[in-house]
Amino acid sequence: MAKNSEYTLELLLESGMLTQEQIDQGWQKVADSGGKLDILDSLKELKFLDEKELLQILAQQYGLETIDLSDYQIPPEVIDSMTPEIVKEYKVIPVMKHESTITVAISDPSDLETIDALRFRLKCDIEAVVASKEEITKLTDHYYGTIGESVDSFLEGMEGGNVESQIAGAIGGADEAVDDDAPIIKLVSLIIIEAFKKRASDIHLEPLEKRYRVRYRIDGALREMESPPKYLQANITSRLKIMSKLDISEKRVPQDGRIQLKVEGKDIDLRVSSIPTTHGESIVMRILDKASIQLDIPKLGFYSDDEELIKKILEMPDGIFLVTGPTGSGKTTSLYAFLNTINTPHRKIITVEDPVEYQLTGINQVQVNPIIQFTFSAALRAMLRQAPNIIMVGEIRDLETAEIAINAALTGHLVFSTLHTNDAPGAVTRLIDMGIKPFLVASAVKAIMAQRLVRRNCKNCSVPYEPGDEELQILGLDKEYVKTSTLMKGRGCNECGGSGYRGRVGIYEIFMISEQIQNLIFEKVSSTVIREAARKSGMRTLREDGLRKAASGTTTLAEVLANTTMDESTDH
């Protein structure tokens, strides 16, 4: 309805578009409708008034242009300039954008209040053009829909049946007082539930130029899921930031938070990371399922000979045991399993971590907090005053932490920690590069284990397969290896989501520091020389352990190839 209907009627009378008798009939129809129709709508229904002619007269009166939206295509960047809430609240739609000016289509040129309100809300210049209410409504439904309808449409594409039955009792713990029927809350809940059901370790919500991509990391590989409409991006981001207690008004700097939930009766922690990108805030959630962590060494995938080596290391009274590998290679899980094995009432164990990923019963776990200068080194110094038998340092990141860990090992403590190196022998040169004296490294470090995670063949759909000549050549294998192996490969089924893999298993490289190796470290030789010496003394490399597991049908040659580098001086 026009803001000034009387003035509009006067204009129409003066232009000869209406007679007084027609206007009187229009008011009678308004009365008959009980006020549901306004005067202009009633005149249109009586076919006394033509929509296009009306718009042209009104636009001309207010110095505005008219626009035909019947076949109008609105660019994505223009659609993204206004949220669905603003479009629906003010009954307008953006049609053009140039620098800091947005052109919006309105159906009532006399409504100057709406233009002023939009300038204030969007903090930019607003220009108006005039279009019919029906065309604006049609385009609004096409480009924006309603949030509830958009969410329901998206959820129809997700697996798992009835949405309400999945959410009811399935998820709780994050501001449960909130109305769980709200569409965006429902959508975010289902994204998390689906990720949990698919055994995902991470949820990636990534704003791209023209779409909002959702990906789950399952068994170490990213899989793209059904993506919600681009215009729901801001709503989803705000909901997740509220759940993880982040500042929703701050969009310029990275933020980290945490969400604690119960999903299907299990305690779940979500570590949330938000970072600004070109097209909005990218959010990654790491899913930590406390019930799924493997705390038994045999379940980690060691063969009996490697398991014996690990037991021997864990029985040492002092020294440093390092676990190396890239982010996401399972280092923390291995360390937790080791600590759980040696966690007995007569030992005091303290860990310092960033963050504390899982709570271990009977172990004192300390969370670092750089904001208050409570770093790894500061925590480690304080821990030593607690007279522990065993110490676990989440990661050796700097010289100070390395020095305190070395000194702790040399004064009778068994120290566990991690480093980011490609192989086990490389950890020695990494410590020396940090500034630790070679003789201290040689004396304190007792063993180093490098590890990777490879995907397991799906037990439901694995079948024997013959590797191609090219695959064998790249891996340096001969026909004898194939003859003595049980090579398997998953065909893909519902259970593994069509990937042929389900779950992951570790491959390991265990490096014991012998007296001969100690002498090489004293001499400051390169990591290549140390690696060759370790190989001669019996160290099995990551690739060799991977090939053993491929030969037994646990994984595939392709997985081994993707996760390991060529071993130097390898004879097959």
Side-chain angles (χ1 to χ4, degrees):
M1 178 171 129
K3 294 288 180 184
N4 192 340
S5 298
E6 295 291 343
Y7 177 65
T8 304
L9 290 175
E10 284 179 26
L11 282 175
L12 295 172
L13 267 172
E14 287 176 11
S15 68
M17 283 183 68
L18 287 175
T19 65
Q20 187 60 52
E21 185 184 352
Q22 288 173 325
I23 291 173
D24 291 342
Q25 286 184 47
W27 281 118
Q28 183 59 50
K29 190 169 180 66
V30 170
D32 293 343
S33 73
K36 291 180 182 177
L37 288 174
D38 65 39
I39 182 62
L40 297 178
D41 284 337
S42 69
L43 290 167
K44 286 179 206 170
E45 285 197 8
L46 289 166
K47 303 201 185 307
F48 294 155
L49 201 56
D50 181 76
E51 174 85 8
K52 287 187 178 178
E53 288 181 6
L54 172 63
L55 288 177
Q56 283 170 353
I57 285 178
L58 290 176
Q60 188 176 358
Q61 188 66 30
Y62 288 92
L64 299 176
E65 299 279 335
T66 58
I67 186 171
D68 181 5
L69 296 178
S70 55
D71 295 311
Y72 197 83
Q73 299 293 319
I74 306 176
E77 62 271 16
V78 176
I79 290 296
D80 292 342
S81 67
M82 293 175 72
T83 64
E85 291 87 351
I86 290 177
V87 168
K88 293 177 194 307
E89 180 182 347
Y90 293 103
K91 296 180 173 58
V92 300
I93 190 164
V95 292
M96 283 179 277
K97 185 180 180 185
H98 179 66
E99 295 179 350
S100 62
T101 301
I102 298 173
T103 302
V104 299
I106 60 173
S107 61
D108 181 5
S110 68
D111 186 7
L112 301 177
E113 291 175 15
T114 289
I115 304 302
D116 289 337
L118 286 172
R119 285 194 184 104
F120 178 76
R121 287 279 295 270
L122 299 174
K123 303 288 189 296
C124 67
D125 292 332
I126 298 293
E127 289 184 354
V129 292
V130 183
S132 75
K133 186 191 294 183
E134 288 75 12
E135 287 178 350
I136 290 174
T137 302
K138 187 177 178 182
L139 279 186
T140 299
D141 290 342
H142 174 71
Y143 285 106
Y144 293 96
T146 67
I147 287 180
E149 288 170 4
S150 297
V151 169
D152 289 339
S153 173
F154 167 68
L155 294 176
E156 283 175 14
M158 298 181 75
E159 298 174 19
N162 185 272
V163 168
E164 273 69 21
S165 66
Q166 286 191 71
I167 293 179
I171 191 164
D175 38 48
E176 292 178 65
V178 178
D179 176 12
D180 281 338
D181 291 329
I184 290 298
I185 294 174
K186 183 193 293 185
L187 171 56
V188 170
S189 297
L190 257 293
I191 287 173
I192 293 171
I193 291 169
E194 281 291 301
F196 177 76
K197 285 183 173 179
K198 291 179 183 294
R199 305 173 297 104
S201 60
D202 305 274
I203 303 170
H204 294 250
L205 302 165
E206 302 161 316
L208 307 178
E209 184 181 0
K210 295 182 181 178
R211 64 193 185 100
Y212 191 48
R213 183 168 67 180
V214 176
R215 294 193 289 175
Y216 296 161
R217 190 179 294 281
I218 302 170
D219 297 333
L222 281 169
R223 292 193 207 171
E224 190 162 339
M225 300 292 124
E226 187 77 19
S227 294
K230 171 74 171 172
Y231 56 79
L232 294 181
Q233 175 182 319
N235 303 79
I236 294 170
T237 300
S238 295
R239 171 60 184 159
L240 286 170
K241 290 174 84 170
I242 289 167
M243 290 174 73
S244 49
K245 297 177 174 58
L246 301 180
D247 183 356
I248 61 169
S249 64
E250 181 55 79
K251 300 175 182 177
R252 301 162 300 169
V253 297
Q255 296 186 69
D256 293 306
R258 185 176 182 180
I259 302 171
Q260 292 180 295
L261 298 168
K262 257 191 193 307
V263 179
E264 298 183 344
K266 294 183 179 180
D267 289 322
I268 302 296
D269 273 3
L270 296 174
R271 273 172 33 204
V272 182
S273 170
S274 167
I275 190 168
T277 68
T278 310
H279 302 292
E281 291 175 274
S282 173
I283 291 181
V284 175
M285 292 180 281
R286 168 70 63 88
I287 301 173
L288 303 173
D289 176 8
K290 296 174 183 177
S292 70
I293 185 170
Q294 301 288 359
L295 294 178
D296 293 328
I297 291 176
K299 291 181 180 176
L300 296 179
F302 290 105
Y303 280 120
S304 56
D305 52 354
D306 284 341
E307 199 173 318
E308 286 302 315
L309 272 179
I310 292 296
K311 286 180 180 176
K312 184 178 174 184
I313 293 166
L314 298 182
E315 288 167 1
M316 294 189 303
D318 55 37
I320 292 181
F321 177 29
L322 292 171
V323 180
T324 78
T327 302
S329 59
K331 300 188 297 294
T332 302
T333 301
S334 294
L335 286 176
Y336 279 169
F338 299 155
L339 291 179
N340 190 59
T341 301
I342 56 179
N343 182 18
T344 56
H346 65 274
R347 287 192 178 107
K348 184 176 180 72
I349 303 174
I350 307 181
T351 74
V352 53
E353 305 170 58
D354 183 23
V356 174
E357 293 190 6
Y358 299 95
Q359 301 289 335
L360 298 175
T361 305
I363 293 176
N364 302 277
Q365 292 173 273
V366 178
Q367 168 78 54
V368 303
N369 188 348
I371 295 171
I372 58 171
Q373 307 302 312
F374 189 51
T375 59
F376 274 113
S377 53
L380 194 45
R381 258 191 242 98
M383 283 162 53
L384 290 172
R385 293 194 286 273
Q386 295 272 314
N389 303 103
I390 297 160
I391 295 166
M392 195 267 271
V393 185
E395 185 183 345
I396 293 177
R397 295 180 179 175
D398 52 49
L399 175 60
E400 190 178 8
T401 305
E403 285 178 335
I404 300 168
I406 293 278
N407 288 333
L410 294 174
T411 53
H413 301 88
L414 183 57
V415 180
F416 295 85
S417 192
T418 70
L419 266 182
H420 285 282
T421 62
N422 289 328
D423 61 5
V428 170
T429 49
R430 176 82 181 94
L431 288 171
I432 293 171
D433 289 344
M434 274 185 178
I436 303 294
K437 299 280 192 297
F439 75 90
L440 290 175
V441 175
S443 305
V445 179
K446 302 296 184 185
I448 303 164
M449 182 179 83
Q451 71 174 75
R452 300 287 187 278
L453 291 175
V454 294
R455 291 181 289 175
R456 283 181 183 271
N457 284 323
C458 174
K459 292 179 181 176
N460 190 54
C461 64
S462 287
V463 292
Y465 90 105
E466 281 275 335
D469 291 339
E470 188 180 351
E471 195 173 16
L472 293 174
Q473 189 178 351
I474 292 171
L475 285 163
L477 301 173
D478 53 28
K479 295 290 183 183
E480 191 59 35
Y481 171 84
V482 178
K483 287 178 188 174
T484 57
S485 301
T486 310
L487 295 173
M488 306 288 283
K489 191 173 189 176
R491 290 175 298 185
C493 63
N494 289 334
E495 223 164 278
C496 61
S499 68
Y501 299 101
R502 184 174 172 84
R504 289 191 289 175
V505 66
I507 56 173
Y508 304 96
E509 179 174 286
I510 303 172
F511 175 34
M512 302 293 290
I513 307 293
S514 63
E515 191 175 331
Q516 179 201 359
I517 301 293
Q518 282 182 325
N519 292 330
L520 290 174
I521 297 170
F522 284 138
E523 295 168 14
K524 290 182 70 174
V525 299
S526 69
S527 60
T528 305
V529 175
I530 294 174
R531 183 175 179 79
E532 286 175 0
R535 295 290 315 285
K536 286 175 183 173
S537 63
M539 182 187 81
R540 185 181 295 106
T541 67
L542 284 166
R543 177 162 287 187
E544 288 171 338
D545 192 43
L547 291 174
R548 282 205 301 176
K549 281 163 182 155
S552 65
T554 305
T555 188
T556 62
L557 292 177
E559 274 294 289
V560 176
L561 182 60
N563 287 280
T564 62
T565 54
M566 179 61 74
D567 301 325
E568 295 176 33
S569 309
T570 303
D571 294 318
H572 293 292

